[in-house]
Amino acid sequence: MPNWCSNTPLLRGKEEDITRLLDTVADTDTTLSLAKIIAVPEALKNASSPNRDEASKEENTKLYGASDWYEFQTTRWGTKWDVNATINYDSHLRTPGWQSRSPNATRTVSMSFESAWAPPQPAIDMLAKQFPMVDIYLSYSETIVTGK
């Protein structure tokens, strides 16, 4: 059972850029999918973890830099599993029926989600590279559980 990390990304930019970003990262079940930022190759999705097949392990590492889905996701995303984000605040929706009159209007969106063990910093860094015109801030809180 992982320790959970609470994440709150804040996105700020031109309305059209934020809309494009949200359309890019949305999946059927969530507002933000790490797999939409950095896709997991099909061959790794089907590789058991840990990958005990030496030939498959070697081939996957050569092609994808990871032997299985777990290694790929923890390395590329920074966390074991994909996330299920919800939008907490969207300045675009501040009043029912409100629409900006200008495509250059600033839009701010705040989300929240839990991730396993750590924040998905590598995935958020990649998102920032894909959308350099959007300011992306990630705040997070890691719960530390200690035992005797």
Side-chain angles (χ1 to χ4, degrees):
M1 190 76 176
N3 292 338
W4 292 102
C5 179
S6 299
N7 300 268
T8 309
L10 178 74
L11 315 171
R12 185 173 295 135
K14 289 182 184 177
E15 186 173 331
E16 61 188 20
D17 295 333
I18 296 290
T19 300
R20 199 162 38 86
L21 182 150
L22 292 174
D23 289 346
T24 300
V25 300
D27 203 354
T28 357
D29 300 327
T30 184
T31 321
L32 172 78
S33 170
L34 302 177
K36 293 288 192 162
I37 301 169
I38 303 171
V40 179
E42 285 299 319
L44 296 183
K45 288 180 185 178
N46 300 324
S48 63
S49 177
N51 189 346
R52 298 186 199 295
D53 178 340
E54 287 303 318
S56 166
K57 187 177 186 176
E58 187 176 316
E59 180 72 10
N60 288 345
T61 302
K62 181 180 173 184
L63 291 173
Y64 311 112
S67 63
D68 56 44
W69 66 268
Y70 178 84
E71 184 181 354
F72 185 89
Q73 290 174 196
T74 55
T75 303
R76 299 299 193 312
W77 294 352
T79 188
K80 181 178 180 178
W81 297 305
D82 206 343
V83 300
N84 187 9
T86 56
I87 292 179
N88 301 325
Y89 173 78
D90 185 345
S91 63
H92 181 75
L93 304 175
R94 59 183 156 205
T95 330
W98 179 83
Q99 288 290 325
S100 162
R101 297 202 190 314
S102 165
N104 293 325
T106 299
R107 182 175 179 189
T108 302
V109 173
S110 173
M111 300 178 183
S112 62
F113 59 85
E114 301 289 310
S115 58
W117 307 114
Q121 194 64 57
I124 298 299
D125 290 345
M126 179 59 75
L127 184 63
K129 287 178 185 172
Q130 293 170 358
F131 291 89
M133 69 296 283
V134 174
D135 293 327
I136 302 174
Y137 307 93
L138 177 64
S139 60
Y140 61 90
S141 172
E142 294 179 276
T143 303
I144 305 299
V145 178
T146 59
K148 291 185 178 187

